Amino acid sequence: MKRILSTLFLSAAVLLPSAAQSSSALPQLGKDPIEKVIQAMTLEEKAGLLVGDHEFDKYKNGEVKDKVPGIAGTTMPIPRLGIPTTYETDGPAGVNIDARREGDSRTYFCTAFPIGTLLACTWDQELVRSVGEAIGNEALEYGCDILLAPAINIHRNPLCGRNFEYYSEDPVVTGKIAAAYIQGVQSQNVGTSLKHFAANNQETYRRENDSRVSQRALREIYLKGFEIAVREAHPWTVMSSYNRINGLSVQEHYPLLTTVLRDEWGFDGYVMTDWTRQLRNTALQITAGNELLMPGFQGQIDDIIASVKNGRLAESDLDKAVERMLRVIMKTPSFKGYEYSNSPDLEAHAVITRRSAAEGIVLLKNEDKTLPLTGAKGKVALFGLGSYDFLATGIGSGDVNNAHVVSMLEGLVNAGYSVQEDLRDMYEGVEDEIHISPSYATRRAKDSDMAVITIRRNAGEYKDRHNDEGDFLLTATEKAMLKNVSDAFHKEGKKVIVILNTGGVIETASWKDCTDAIVLAWQPGVEGGNSVVDIMTGKVNPSGKLTMTWPVDYFDIPSSQNFPHDFYGDSWRKDWKAYDPYKKNTGYTDYNEGIWVGYRYFNTKKERVSFPFGFGMSYTTFAYSDMTVKRVKDTFKISVKVTNTGDREGKEVVELYVKAPQSGMEKPERELKAFAKTRLLKSGESEILTMEVAVRDLASFDEGLNCWIADEGSYTFEAGASVEDIRAEIKSALSKKYTEKVLTRL
Ligand code: GLC
């Protein structure tokens, strides 16, 4: 969707600074050499530009009118030099700004698009790019310059509160989906902020927690997604995370923020810190490679000025940071004077949300072709709080102020189904799950044609989840509902369909057998119920696949030994004194599982799972054939033919795994190296998918030698419908070892 680009390329008339009379004598950003502009800046202006500007009193007392109320941050203007304010807004699933403004009768609702995890489960880079375009356009039309997204930390443990914003347990899915998202947003000439760099995989004491990670796990798992996204999509900015890595604060981590990010990967934008309201060592933060300290307060400006004056911070380092800021500012709509409308096309974006959500919904179970629903549009007995109060997205900065979320009730009614009235009335306005007795379930089984049960879970920023009832586990009330409804409806020969409206993984093994179908809806955005019912009715054939493992038991997960799943305190409180650096999983977290995250562990150890990585069902079937591989310079090109062998049109995700020759280094049984999705194939139609794997992508990271190594030998390329369902394979060889040294350790 190419929008408004032409208008953006209108004469890039620089905003004439208010002090126009002084601008003639002074160099102007965009008109004069950037060096001249920097030379003309005072030390106070330089320091001010490197510190977020939005939480200063001038905004709080209304002296400076908030152009975008609810914005997460801004940068300081220097009008005399033609440097405008720029506006940084959350979040990954849509623009997060206030929906209402004081003294303004209109509203400023935004679109809650599908959450990051759902987008990843589409495995469709083109689709994610189009969603990014729409989100970028909303940011643009609401007057924003940088979208604080995508959020791409690895799903190290399913109980991380913010996993809904993140993509996967696998770095290749993470990086490729992130790259597509960034390309989409930035196609609207709005910037992104790739976050939270790096190894920020829990919310508990996130501002201080020390992630203790091996060099190999960092390189292969926790940095690899960021590397792919930076190299392939060039985000305008990166957000450095709150935590520590191996004892050193990320915000003071020169090896990470400069040597790896810039020298190894070629990042050329600016780094902003995550929203740290404590005065840390600003000189170290800037020399380490942060150009913008967010959200910003006067003490930081003072500290920078003092640091320059006392020699702790070289002015040349300050100028380098200022230049990096200015180069990004020059790309922004605010600098180009874009006339934003404050009226993005929310209807068109809702259509994109409905379609894209359906592509990331995962059909986990479909016994005896329960779905798609066929025949007369009977009466649905709709159970579960979430059926009537459906979640579009999660909690915290990743939330969106949207006007309305289509519920399961509305979605079914919109599709022409009637919903059992007594149930609808019973759930009206209730806050807690209702106990469904066997007798009640029996009555409903007699006067309804099928049962639909929604299990709902929410989580988000500030807190991690728990391996408890009502979170990872079902509650007794939910278990009773599933059992009583299933018993009653199965007795009448009627079907039971479960909808999972959740931002993350929950326990499924103990109850999935009592259902006929399970639809994983995630948090699909504003069109929620419509997207889910489009799948249930077969209007859209499900093609989503899991980008993370769904275990049988939480403690089957290697990282469960080192995660704060049993911490119930409030690590968000302001008295940092409560933080104990010597406390396991809250002061520091040992990533003892190393690279054995998700399928790398379960598939290699042949451990049981409830649903495997890469799994997702369709209403049709696909055959894989004619797999070929050829080496073109430093790249393997692998092709596989996918044929729709069923009776309905559908799309298929093909996952390309590689089995490397065993060498001195212990390696996973197989690792995902690429993926592709067919177009919509009619019954009998075929498509040849071609995927590329660079030789360097075959390498594992040798900690001792501090370099990537791909051993010579035979490599098996596998085309899989999931990590446990390999449909075709082909071998190729590396005739000589590949090595690539890295520049630092972390
Ligand atoms: C929060 C989040 C970050 C967000 C920022 C601005 O602390 O960690 O993801 O973009 O602050 O709201």
Side-chain angles (χ1 to χ4, degrees):
M1 168 188 43
K2 298 286 169 267
R3 283 195 163 99
I4 56 91
L5 294 186
S6 52
T7 46
L8 258 189
F9 290 113
L10 296 177
S11 62
V14 173
L15 271 179
L16 275 180
S18 53
Q21 67 287 357
S22 65
S23 64
S24 54
L26 288 166
Q28 293 300 294
L29 185 64
K31 284 185 158 178
D32 297 290
I34 206 163
E35 296 72 23
K36 296 281 185 212
V37 174
I38 297 171
Q39 276 164 19
M41 290 170 75
T42 64
L43 177 56
E44 288 67 22
E45 286 171 330
K46 291 177 184 176
L49 191 66
L50 303 188
V51 174
D53 187 41
H54 193 249
E55 301 206 349
F56 283 73
D57 291 345
K58 60 187 176 183
Y59 278 94
K60 289 174 186 159
N61 64 25
E63 184 190 322
V64 172
K65 191 129 177 54
D66 224 340
K67 183 183 95 167
V68 189
I71 195 93
T74 57
T75 59
M76 188 177 286
I78 306 174
R80 71 189 190 92
L81 300 174
I83 300 168
T85 300
T86 65
Y87 298 83
E88 286 71 32
T89 185
D90 286 311
V95 177
N96 183 356
I97 57 174
D98 294 349
R100 289 182 172 77
R101 299 177 182 179
E102 208 175 310
D104 186 338
S105 58
R106 60 151 295 173
T107 56
Y108 297 82
F109 288 113
C110 297
T111 306
F113 290 86
I115 57 171
T117 302
L118 184 150
L119 290 182
C121 288
T122 68
W123 296 71
D124 185 337
Q125 287 186 281
E126 193 45 47
L127 175 138
V128 171
R129 202 170 285 115
S130 68
V131 174
E133 285 176 10
I135 299 178
N137 178 262
E138 269 194 36
L140 178 75
E141 292 307 333
Y142 274 133
C144 304
D145 298 297
I146 307 272
L147 182 74
L148 302 173
I152 72 162
N153 295 96
I154 287 289
H155 288 185
R156 170 179 177 254
N157 184 289
L159 299 185
C160 170
R162 292 184 80 170
N163 275 357
F164 80 97
E165 295 182 66
Y166 307 155
Y167 292 148
S168 175
E169 68 190 27
D170 178 83
V172 170
V173 171
T174 297
K176 296 288 186 184
I177 295 295
Y181 183 100
I182 291 165
Q183 289 160 352
V185 171
Q186 295 185 169
S187 72
Q188 303 301 303
N189 288 288
V190 165
T192 56
S193 193
L194 183 62
K195 68 186 187 183
H196 308 89
F197 189 56
N200 181 184
N201 304 98
Q202 68 185 61
E203 286 302 289
T204 305
Y205 277 106
R206 62 178 179 166
R207 281 187 156 79
E208 299 89 5
N209 184 270
D210 182 16
S211 300
R212 296 178 179 174
V213 201
S214 73
Q215 296 301 305
R216 183 178 183 193
L218 273 172
R219 291 286 183 169
E220 291 189 16
I221 306 294
Y222 297 100
L223 298 185
K224 180 53 74 177
F226 286 97
E227 177 181 1
I228 294 169
V230 166
R231 288 180 188 276
E232 295 189 10
H234 313 291
W236 288 12
T237 80
V238 164
M239 186 185 292
S240 58
S241 57
Y242 287 124
N243 55 289
R244 292 175 171 85
I245 292 179
N246 296 332
L248 182 58
S249 165
V250 165
Q251 295 179 6
E252 298 168 7
H253 210 301
Y254 184 92
L256 181 73
L257 301 182
T258 297
T259 309
V260 170
L261 182 61
R262 293 183 183 278
D263 302 344
E264 288 186 18
W265 299 349
F267 173 66
D268 62 358
Y270 72 68
V271 174
M272 67 174 84
T273 66
D274 202 340
W275 268 230
T276 310
R277 292 176 174 81
Q278 294 161 289
L279 182 62
R280 293 183 170 177
N281 184 326
T282 59
L284 251 184
Q285 286 174 304
I286 291 169
T287 48
N290 297 281
E291 282 72 42
L292 180 60
L293 309 183
M294 278 300 205
F297 54 91
Q298 189 58 46
Q300 291 173 312
I301 295 178
D302 299 341
D303 195 54
I304 291 171
I305 292 168
S307 299
V308 172
K309 289 179 175 171
N310 67 25
R312 273 193 305 150
L313 176 61
E315 186 141 11
S316 57
D317 284 341
L318 192 70
D319 291 351
K320 191 176 3 172
V322 165
E323 180 178 352
R324 286 169 177 165
M325 284 292 291
L326 292 177
R327 291 200 182 283
V328 173
I329 289 172
M330 286 164 70
K331 298 198 279 189
T332 62
S334 287
F335 178 76
K336 291 174 178 171
Y338 177 70
E339 310 251 325
Y340 59 93
S341 66
N342 264 332
S343 304
D345 189 343
L346 299 183
E347 278 183 28
H349 294 170
V351 170
I352 289 173
T353 297
R354 178 169 181 168
R355 176 175 58 79
S356 55
E359 300 269 332
I361 287 175
V362 183
L363 182 60
L364 294 177
K365 182 178 180 183
N366 192 23
E367 209 71 24
D368 304 331
K369 296 195 173 183
T370 298
L371 295 175
L373 301 176
T374 52
K377 294 186 175 173
K379 185 179 287 273
V380 178
L382 192 56
F383 295 90
L385 197 56
S387 293
Y388 303 88
D389 179 12
F390 206 71
L391 296 173
T393 184
I395 295 166
S397 60
D399 194 357
V400 178
N401 293 316
N402 48 278
H404 176 68
V405 184
V406 176
S407 67
M408 282 303 298
L409 170 64
E410 290 170 271
L412 287 164
V413 169
N414 291 343
Y417 289 84
S418 62
V419 173
Q420 216 289 335
E421 299 76 11
D422 183 69
L423 267 166
R424 185 195 56 209
D425 299 346
M426 193 169 77
Y427 278 101
E428 185 69 38
V430 297
E431 297 286 317
D432 298 315
E433 204 55 79
I434 297 172
H435 176 72
I436 303 294
S437 66
S439 58
Y440 184 84
T442 300
R443 287 203 304 279
R444 292 292 75 87
K446 292 189 181 311
D447 64 11
S448 313
D449 299 297
M450 74 186 90
V452 173
I453 304 171
T454 300
I455 301 287
R456 183 183 77 171
R457 286 292 181 279
N458 210 355
E461 192 168 355
Y462 315 124
K463 282 185 188 294
D464 290 310
R465 297 174 53 197
H466 299 105
N467 181 35
D468 279 356
E469 289 196 358
D471 198 335
F472 189 77
L473 308 175
L474 294 193
T475 63
T477 304
E478 289 169 330
K479 288 177 197 168
M481 172 168 64
L482 280 169
K483 178 173 183 340
N484 295 338
V485 170
S486 297
D487 290 351
F489 276 74
H490 289 157
K491 203 165 160 189
E492 300 290 330
K494 297 173 181 174
K495 300 288 189 180
V496 177
I497 300 154
V498 171
I499 310 297
L500 297 180
N501 178 207
T502 170
V505 179
I506 65 169
E507 190 277 331
T508 49
S510 67
W511 54 266
K512 66 183 180 181
D513 292 344
C514 77
T515 68
D516 298 293
I518 302 174
V519 178
L520 173 55
W522 296 115
Q523 290 164 335
V526 289
E527 285 293 308
N530 284 336
S531 301
V532 177
V533 175
D534 285 348
I535 292 289
M536 291 171 67
T537 59
K539 184 177 173 188
V540 175
N541 185 349
S543 61
K545 295 195 174 182
L546 295 177
T547 58
M548 79 300 290
T549 306
W550 286 54
V552 168
D553 184 289
Y554 171 71
F555 291 106
D556 293 346
I557 303 166
S559 64
S560 61
Q561 306 309 312
N562 292 283
F563 191 83
H565 57 265
D566 48 4
F567 175 81
Y568 291 87
D570 177 2
S571 62
W572 183 241
R573 59 170 168 264
K574 298 288 176 282
D575 61 351
W576 316 109
K577 296 187 295 299
Y579 165 64
D580 175 354
Y582 302 103
K583 196 156 183 290
K584 179 179 162 71
N585 296 340
T586 58
Y588 66 90
T589 299
D590 283 327
Y591 288 40
N592 284 352
E593 73 282 357
I595 64 166
W596 305 104
V597 176
Y599 74 87
R600 283 174 168 79
Y601 167 74
F602 287 103
N603 187 249
T604 301
K605 306 295 183 191
K606 302 281 182 285
E607 281 285 337
R608 61 175 188 167
V609 296
S610 189
F611 298 105
F613 176 86
F615 176 78
M617 298 178 75
S618 171
Y619 297 145
T620 186
T621 52
F622 297 95
Y624 297 19
S625 62
D626 304 358
M627 195 166 178
T628 66
V629 58
K630 66 179 178 187
R631 171 87 179 258
V632 179
K633 296 200 175 83
D634 281 346
T635 302
F636 288 98
K637 289 185 188 292
I638 299 97
S639 294
V640 63
K641 184 176 177 183
V642 180
T643 303
N644 181 344
T645 51
D647 56 6
R648 299 177 75 95
E649 60 183 17
K651 297 181 179 180
E652 172 70 344
V653 172
V654 172
E655 300 148 30
L656 186 72
Y657 296 93
V658 172
K659 292 176 83 165
Q662 287 309 318
S663 67
M665 237 193 295
E666 196 183 3
K667 297 178 185 177
E669 175 71 11
R670 53 179 54 83
E671 290 181 288
L672 184 84
K673 295 299 178 185
F675 58 87
K677 190 167 192 173
T678 69
R679 66 178 188 280
L680 190 62
L681 298 177
K682 292 188 178 5
S683 176
E685 260 195 323
S686 298
E687 181 180 354
I688 294 177
L689 295 177
T690 299
M691 293 159 276
E692 296 190 350
V693 177
V695 168
R696 73 186 300 268
D697 296 339
L698 299 177
S700 299
F701 188 75
D702 184 310
E703 296 187 342
L705 299 172
N706 211 38
C707 80
W708 292 95
I709 296 178
D711 293 302
E712 60 190 274
S714 172
Y715 287 76
T716 306
F717 295 90
E718 301 173 321
S722 84
V723 73
E724 291 186 355
D725 182 1
I726 302 303
R727 301 284 185 83
E729 66 173 54
I730 192 163
K731 294 183 189 304
S732 188
L734 266 192
S735 54
K736 68 184 176 65
K737 179 191 285 195
Y738 169 86
T739 59
E740 179 184 321
K741 277 200 79 58
V742 294
L743 301 178
T744 186
R745 298 174 69 81
L746 298 165

